[in-house]
């Protein structure tokens, strides 16, 4: 009768709608990943010394760390290179199983993705030409360059008195802008600043004050509990067997793990 027709019509709308919404969030669970034999990871490839290209080879602390983690899990690793500002959206579309691209923990990000246990601790640092603004207070009235969608952009927005914040696709672009004096200062990861300045000793640019500290983790689709457990366990294992420490020494000449 009428009721059945109504229900049938209702379902004909609700079912495709559910498929449409559900289809966008079909994260592979641990079992599916394990059965495929390959775990899919994303990184950026423009954030040295964490993830970058050496010629045509993707490398860096996080790239090598993900490789030893995958090995611990008994899986092959397949890389996707995705612009940093697109990674969270792409993760939500399940284009890969996790991203390892120096995501610092923020409440805002934690609303849409899950964070693994931190794989390093670090901070955002100011860099400027010698004689330029090297402290938070010296940024008053100045322009600052930062990478789009980063915690440095967020930190810059909170500093009162900054005249302009210019955002760039990547840190290499932000550094170039500082070098060309299109901005007065640059805020980035302290290790990225150090690595960049070491490679460009003639730029006349120096590191300044640390603006904030953060814990950096791999990010995963929300609620993928078993995957989180496996990644955290493998991370703990590589921290125990010395392979983490070897990579930390190779890239930083110090232990960058988060200590209590
Ligand atoms: N640690 C900063 C953040 O959480 C920057 C990360 C940038 N990563 C990258 N691969 N460029 O936003």
């Amino acid at each position: 009768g009428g009721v059945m027709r109504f229900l049938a019509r209702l379902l004909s709308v609700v079912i495709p709608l559910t498929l449409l919404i559900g289809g966008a969030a079909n994260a592979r669970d641990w079992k599916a990943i394990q059965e495929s034999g390959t775990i899919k990871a994303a990184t950026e490839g423009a954030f040295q010394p964490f993830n970058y290209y050496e010629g045509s080879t993707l490398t860096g602390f996080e790239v090598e760390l993900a490789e030893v983690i995958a090995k611990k899990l008994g899986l092959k690793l397949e890389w996707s290179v995705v612009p940093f500002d697109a990674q969270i959206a792409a993760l939500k579309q399940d284009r890969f199983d996790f991203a390892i691209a120096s995501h610092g923990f923020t409440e805002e990000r934690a609303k849409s993705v899950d964070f693994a246990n931190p794989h390093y601790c670090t901070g955002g640092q100011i860099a400027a030409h010698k004689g330029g603004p090297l402290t938070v207070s010296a940024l008053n009235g100045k322009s600052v360059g930062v990478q789009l969608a980063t915690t440095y952009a967020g930190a810059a927005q909170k500093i009162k008195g900054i005249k302009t914040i210019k955002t760039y696709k990547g840190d290499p672009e932000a550094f170039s802008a500082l070098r060309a004096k299109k901005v007065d200062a640059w805020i980035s990861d302290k290790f990225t600043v150090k690595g960049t300045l070491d490679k460009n000793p003639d730029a006349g640019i120096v590191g300044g004050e640390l603006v904030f500290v953060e814990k950096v983790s791999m990010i995963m689709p929300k609620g993928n509990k078993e995957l989180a457990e496996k990644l955290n366990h493998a991370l703990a294992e590589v921290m125990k067997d010395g392979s983490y420490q070897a990579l930390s020494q190779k890239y930083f000449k110090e232990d960058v793990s988060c200590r209590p």
Side-chain angles (χ1 to χ4, degrees):
V3 173
M4 289 309 282
R5 251 201 319 273
F6 171 75
L7 278 178
R9 217 172 276 162
L10 189 69
L11 285 181
S12 74
V13 175
V14 169
I15 291 173
L17 209 66
T18 313
L19 286 177
L20 199 75
I21 296 164
N26 231 330
R28 299 202 302 164
D29 62 9
W30 172 249
K31 203 167 154 263
I33 294 167
Q34 206 178 27
E35 273 166 10
S36 76
T38 302
I39 192 161
K40 298 181 193 172
T43 195
E44 181 202 30
F47 197 55
Q48 58 89 8
F50 302 103
N51 60 79
Y52 61 100
Y53 277 93
E54 218 159 78
S56 59
T57 309
L58 185 62
T59 189
F61 176 66
E62 291 181 306
V63 171
E64 289 203 54
L65 183 62
E67 276 155 8
V68 295
I69 286 173
K71 207 166 175 187
K72 272 277 174 231
L73 294 170
L75 297 169
K76 277 194 223 135
L77 183 57
E78 184 185 305
W79 284 109
S80 295
V81 173
V82 180
F84 181 73
D85 65 310
Q87 288 183 9
I88 289 186
L91 183 66
K92 290 206 273 187
Q93 291 164 3
D94 301 309
R95 291 187 25 217
F96 36 81
D97 303 312
F98 71 96
I100 182 164
S102 291
H103 287 90
F105 180 87
T106 70
E107 295 294 343
E108 193 53 37
R109 287 172 179 166
K111 284 181 195 159
S112 53
V113 298
D114 283 345
F115 283 76
N117 292 333
H119 59 273
Y120 72 92
C121 268
T122 187
Q125 188 186 15
I126 302 170
H129 286 270
K130 284 183 194 122
L134 286 165
T135 61
V136 170
S137 56
L139 290 177
N140 195 20
K142 304 290 181 188
S143 61
V144 177
V146 286
Q147 183 184 18
L148 201 62
T150 58
T151 50
Y152 323 123
Q157 275 151 20
K158 280 191 207 122
I159 298 172
K160 284 187 197 83
I162 290 182
K163 195 167 142 223
T164 17
I165 301 170
K166 290 193 185 165
T167 52
Y168 298 88
K169 192 81 192 155
D171 259 324
E173 291 82 0
F175 175 71
S176 293
L178 172 61
R179 193 169 189 162
K181 302 194 173 167
K182 286 179 184 150
V183 290
D184 300 311
W186 168 45
I187 304 177
S188 183
D189 184 273
K190 64 177 183 181
F191 295 111
T192 302
V193 168
K194 185 177 186 304
T196 304
L197 300 190
D198 286 351
K199 285 205 183 84
N200 297 278
D202 308 331
I205 294 169
V206 289
E209 194 177 357
L210 207 63
V211 182
F212 65 95
V213 294
E214 64 178 354
K215 290 181 177 173
V216 165
S217 295
M218 297 176 268
I219 56 168
M220 300 161 289
K222 250 203 157 349
N224 209 339
K225 228 181 121 220
E226 210 177 348
L227 173 63
E229 277 166 21
K230 296 290 174 186
L231 285 178
N232 282 334
H233 183 72
L235 175 62
E237 289 291 306
V238 302
M239 282 182 158
K240 255 187 255 159
D241 74 8
S243 40
Y244 176 96
Q245 281 68 24
L247 289 176
S248 188
Q249 287 302 324
K250 172 176 172 184
Y251 285 98
F252 309 103
K253 297 186 173 61
E254 65 177 279
D255 183 356
V256 295
S257 68
C258 299
R259 277 145 303 174

